[in-house]
Amino acid sequence: MSATRLSISGMSCAGCVTSVEQALQAVPGVEQAAVNFAEHTATVEGDVSADKLVEAVKQAGYDAAEMKGQNAEADKEAAEMAHYRRLLRKTAVAGLLGVPLVIGDMGGLLPALNTKLGQPIWLLLGLLTLGVLIYAGGHFFTGAWKAFRVHNANMDTLIALGTGSAWVYSMVVVLFPETVPTLAQHAYFEAAVVIIALVNLGGALEMRARGKTSEAIRRLIGLQPRTARVVREGKEQDVPIDEVGLGETLRIRPGERIPVDGDMIDGHSSVDESMLTGEPLPVAKQVGDEVVAGTINVSGTFLFQSKRIGADTVLAQIIEMVRRAQSSKPAIGRLVDKVAGVFVPAVLLVAVATFLIWYNLGGPVLLSHAIVATVTVLIIACPCALGLATPISIMVGVGKAAEHGILIRNGEALQQAGKLEAIVLDKTGTVTVGRPTVTHLVPAPDYSEEQLLQLAASLEQGSEHPLAHAIVEAAKQREITLSEIQQFEAITGQGVSARLDGEPGYLGNARLMQRQGIDIGELEGQAQQLAGQAQTPMYLARGQRLVGIVAVADPIKADSSAAIRRLQQLGLKVIMLTGDSEATAQAVAHQVGIDAVIAEVLPQDKNRHIEQLQQQGQIVAMVGDGINDAPALAQADVGFAIGSGTDVAIESADVTLMRGSLHGVADAIAISHATLRNIKQNLFGAFVYNSLGIPVAAGILYPLMGVMLNPMIAGAAMAMSSVTVVSNANRLRWFKSGAQS
Amino acid sequence: MIWLVNLLGLVLMLAIVWWFWLAKPASVQRRADSDSVDILVDDGVYTPSRIEVPANQPITLRFLRKDPSPCAEQVIFSDFNISAELPVDQYKEITLTPQEKGEYDFTCQMQMYRGTLVVT
């Protein structure tokens, strides 16, 4: 039974306490639930997940979140360290018997088996070996037996059978030498204990190497402070992070890390979000802005109110997403799964066949060869290296991507990103900054710039569109008073219309003007000229009279050209997709070095264009803002949601870029290539190791060179094969972003 | 003697094929009054390793990992695209709703821990 603590918000009276308690008590598995009204917390005992408890509270009409620190990771590390030490202890004990036995055997220091002195000594060594096998290798035998009972065979099966059969055969030789031909009278106690020592050592080394593979997760977890300074009843106090509730006021000083997510309520500052987004410059924050856990307050002191705690913070969600992605498997790993599934029983069959072949070819005289070959086959086979080859590289690759502010949803997305042929970039907010500003006002005769802007801003004041925002902002800067409008209507892909002083007004593109039958002839040339300079000209008309052109431009991001060049160097066909006019789109494309443009696309048609490219047989990626471009992102083989900081909707696409730079796309693709290459190396190595190792262990070299592989060498090779796979995957940690190159 | 050894060897090979590939372990069905099954993760095996559940009904599998070695760290249901990290000595719940009848394997990363979800 375990206890869960929840922070409850929305409780205003003692009656609320009863309803929350009742809601919690009703959840199956809850033994006891107690709500503390003063602290706005609930402590629940029982075997039940926190998610179910939170859900129950929400259904009762309140809000709740689990109060949880990141102690789980510390517990995990402690458990792993204890296991690591246990493995080393077992290695030492097995080595303590194994090494002298090997020296004694090789140096001829031990008495012959079938002598009066020899037999009791060897019997004693046999019993000592048994003790070591039980202490240092007991877990292999237990595991093998348990697996056997459920019709499964695993790594433990191979180790237990290999070392067990070496010990049994040796004991038969010691106790009943007459049953074994003289030439086959050899004991293999040293092999049994040395193999156990090596396998334990391999396990410990692998564990060590694996620790490095989860470095990215540990780094993210390390961003979470352990304490927070809360303001309760006017007093500031430091409390452990898992005691911070929803709606609490927290104080942050310069240089401190923000403990939970919330909204700034007093003060202003700049916050370094680079650890989450990869964005190197601190972000200015003022009252009303969101701050997120894990980021560092650079300058001012401020107060903020917590709104997401525990597993709900952006940081916790990133950690959870990276964890989930790290344990997912791409298609490339599926075939290996099939092989690994039948691998161990197949090795058992090969081992029996090896014994029979040697026994039939050599007869009882070569019985010892048959035994050695069988044991060696069992020991050298390494299903672990095979099984580890894919997931361990995915783990490091996905973690590395996260360090660069790139969140990859799963292994499949990582694999697809490596196969891309074409990449479609949305213009606004992807290639450009996404914050357009008014650049030119071209009034028609009889109108002034002021009048033009006043009318345009009045028409646009009700619109959510970024272009509208730019126009209203420009009017505000000139302190222009806006007029009231009626019957506002946004016409998708064309513009807006509304009634202004009883007269209809239109602001939009040429298509809108044509639809209304308005003659744009007198300003068309200027509009085209502006469009040719990467600006978006919008016509303004009142009734049937053209009032002028408002041109708005969205500046191109400073690093877009360099990133697009990188994408092209990666062999991708780069296409820009936009709702803008052909001329504006061409002008932007020209500036950033894109030669393929699809312009004047209505938002709802974006996914159709992706589909068309796919029908031409291309593997297509779409890069967009994740919200407006969601259908196109979903249609693409890989959807990249490009964000601008921590407000990005995590999990909205296959790949989420926390930083609003296209370099993230190039980095994600480069990481994907590196990871796939790494997986292929691992798989190749593991397949080659097993397919060469097993025949050599079976004695295929004996007829040619007269040598048999020593089972102890097989043990060392097996132990090192997993370590090699993990170490190779660890090389991915050295991946560097190409953004500066 | 030689023929006896050969005969024993061939019988052993047939037994391996039968035991590991053809015969299936007994399934554990969830209790009628519960929508969850507890699974112990220890000593290289999931216990129970074969779980029978009805189609189109949510089932919660509660994994309790006792084995601290990294092999046991993850459980992967590749057919359902689900994977989870299992904390040591704590229950980890995985809820899924299998829709089509059939057998679905769940394994650790290295495929050494193996279990089957039998959807009936």
Side-chain angles (χ1 to χ4, degrees), chain A residues 453-515:
Chain A
L453 187 59
Q454 198 271 343
L455 287 171
S458 299
L459 283 173
E460 288 283 27
Q461 61 189 312
S463 170
E464 300 277 318
H465 199 279
L467 296 182
H469 183 75
I471 294 170
V472 174
E473 200 54 35
K476 258 192 211 168
Q477 277 173 7
R478 294 196 189 189
E479 295 176 353
I480 293 173
T481 316
L482 304 186
S483 308
E484 271 192 31
I485 51 162
Q486 290 91 34
Q487 297 172 17
F488 172 83
E489 191 191 350
I491 307 150
T492 311
Q494 296 187 9
V496 297
S497 74
R499 287 191 87 78
L500 218 142
D501 300 331
E503 207 179 2
Y506 304 98
L507 180 68
N509 56 20
R511 220 185 301 166
L512 178 69
M513 297 298 131
Q514 279 159 12
R515 208 177 80 162

Side-chain angles (χ1 to χ4, degrees), chain A residues 76 143 146 148 151 327 360, chain B residues 6 19 43 73-74 83 111:
Chain A
K76 182 186 155 199
K146 286 198 176 171
F148 176 78
H151 300 247
S327 54
N360 286 309
Chain B
N6 277 300
W19 185 258
D43 287 327
E73 195 172 16
Q74 308 241 333
S83 57
Q111 303 267 326

Side-chain angles (χ1 to χ4, degrees), chain A residues 347-421:
Chain A
V347 171
L348 296 182
L349 289 176
V350 173
V352 179
T354 301
F355 181 87
L356 291 181
I357 292 168
W358 273 105
Y359 187 75
N360 286 309
L361 289 178
V365 179
L366 286 185
L367 183 63
S368 60
H369 279 24
I371 292 289
V372 167
T374 308
V375 169
T376 314
V377 165
L378 290 170
I379 297 299
I380 205 162
C382 190
C384 288
L386 214 53
L388 266 180
T390 312
I392 207 79
S393 304
I394 292 284
M395 193 152 165
V396 184
V398 167
K400 196 71 216 172
E403 280 180 20
H404 286 84
I406 302 161
L407 304 179
I408 297 172
R409 186 152 64 168
N410 53 34
E412 197 61 48
L414 188 73
Q415 183 174 352
Q416 283 286 27
K419 293 186 194 161
L420 291 172
E421 293 164 316

Side-chain angles (χ1 to χ4, degrees), chain A residues 119-341:
Chain A
Q119 205 173 23
I121 287 178
W122 278 101
L123 183 61
L124 182 68
L125 290 175
L127 292 174
L128 275 174
T129 302
L130 180 63
V132 171
L133 287 185
I134 291 169
Y135 169 72
H139 55 291
F140 298 122
F141 290 87
T142 324
W145 172 241
K146 286 198 176 171
F148 176 78
R149 277 176 36 196
V150 293
H151 300 247
N152 192 9
N154 56 27
M155 195 65 216
D156 295 344
T157 313
L158 297 174
I159 309 288
L161 278 177
T163 55
S165 50
W167 184 82
V168 169
Y169 176 77
S170 306
M171 281 308 271
V172 170
V173 171
V174 171
L175 292 174
F176 315 103
E178 65 284 356
T179 59
V180 181
T182 320
L183 279 174
Q185 285 181 7
H186 194 279
Y188 296 99
F189 296 131
E190 85 289 0
V193 283
V194 168
I195 287 165
I196 291 289
L198 288 169
V199 176
N200 278 323
L201 181 65
L205 292 177
E206 185 191 320
M207 207 159 174
R208 211 49 198 266
R210 270 184 172 231
K212 292 188 188 130
T213 61
S214 48
E215 199 177 51
I217 277 284
R218 271 208 305 277
R219 201 186 58 85
L220 283 171
I221 289 167
L223 298 177
Q224 171 74 67
R226 291 181 186 276
T227 60
R229 186 170 302 112
V230 294
V231 185
R232 287 176 184 162
E233 293 164 359
K235 285 183 194 156
E236 291 183 15
Q237 49 182 302
D238 286 339
V239 299
I241 187 72
D242 50 6
E243 285 182 17
V244 178
L246 293 167
E248 290 215 66
T249 303
L250 293 97
R251 161 87 62 200
I252 302 291
R253 294 189 187 134
E256 285 181 343
R257 220 175 257 285
I258 293 158
V260 295
D261 292 2
D263 293 324
M264 208 184 249
I265 53 173
D266 184 47
H268 58 88
S269 180
S270 56
V271 174
D272 177 2
E273 296 184 341
S274 61
M275 57 295 292
L276 293 187
T277 63
E279 174 59 54
L281 294 176
V283 183
K285 299 278 180 183
Q286 55 189 11
V287 171
D289 285 348
E290 186 182 75
V291 289
V292 299
T295 57
I296 295 175
N297 176 28
V298 180
S299 48
T301 297
F302 65 88
L303 290 172
F304 78 99
Q305 193 171 41
S306 62
K307 66 174 183 185
R308 285 188 299 261
I309 59 169
D312 294 337
T313 63
V314 170
L315 174 64
Q317 285 179 55
I318 291 174
I319 292 171
E320 183 55 28
M321 188 183 173
V322 173
R323 268 207 177 119
R324 239 182 298 144
Q326 281 186 328
S327 54
S328 70
K329 215 173 252 189
I332 194 171
R334 300 274 155 83
L335 170 73
V336 187
D337 286 359
K338 289 204 174 84
V339 175

Side-chain angles (χ1 to χ4, degrees), chain A residues 514-535:
Chain A
Q514 279 159 12
R515 208 177 80 162
Q516 300 302 329
I518 299 163
D519 180 22
I520 54 168
E522 56 180 320
L523 294 177
E524 202 176 3
Q526 273 173 289
Q528 280 170 359
Q529 202 181 351
L530 288 165
Q533 293 162 3
Q535 299 181 32

Side-chain angles (χ1 to χ4, degrees), chain A residues 47 49 52 76 80 83 86 142-143 146-156 206-207 210 323-324 327-329 334 337 340-342 345-346 348-349 352-353 355-356 359-360 383-384 387-388 391 395, chain B residues 1-2 5-6 9-10 12-13 16-21 23-25 42-46 49 60 62 67-71 73-74 76 78 81 83-85 88 90-91 93 108-114:
Chain A
D47 272 342
S49 71
K52 283 186 182 157
K76 182 186 155 199
E80 279 182 358
H83 186 63
R86 207 160 36 241
T142 324
K146 286 198 176 171
F148 176 78
R149 277 176 36 196
V150 293
H151 300 247
N152 192 9
N154 56 27
M155 195 65 216
D156 295 344
E206 185 191 320
M207 207 159 174
R210 270 184 172 231
R323 268 207 177 119
R324 239 182 298 144
S327 54
S328 70
K329 215 173 252 189
R334 300 274 155 83
D337 286 359
V342 296
L348 296 182
L349 289 176
V352 179
F355 181 87
L356 291 181
Y359 187 75
N360 286 309
C384 288
L388 266 180
M395 193 152 165
Chain B
M1 180 68 178
I2 288 180
V5 170
N6 277 300
L10 288 173
L12 185 58
M13 288 170 88
I16 290 169
V17 170
W18 175 74
W19 185 258
F20 292 113
W21 287 333
K24 301 279 179 213
D42 199 13
D43 287 327
V45 285
Y46 296 122
S49 65
T60 300
R62 287 160 41 95
D67 178 359
S69 73
C71 311
E73 195 172 16
Q74 308 241 333
I76 299 166
S78 50
N81 228 349
S83 57
E85 195 176 313
V88 180
Q90 281 177 45
Y91 279 99
E93 293 187 356
C108 69
Q109 263 189 341
M110 291 187 281
Q111 303 267 326
M112 295 293 99
Y113 276 90
R114 300 184 71 83

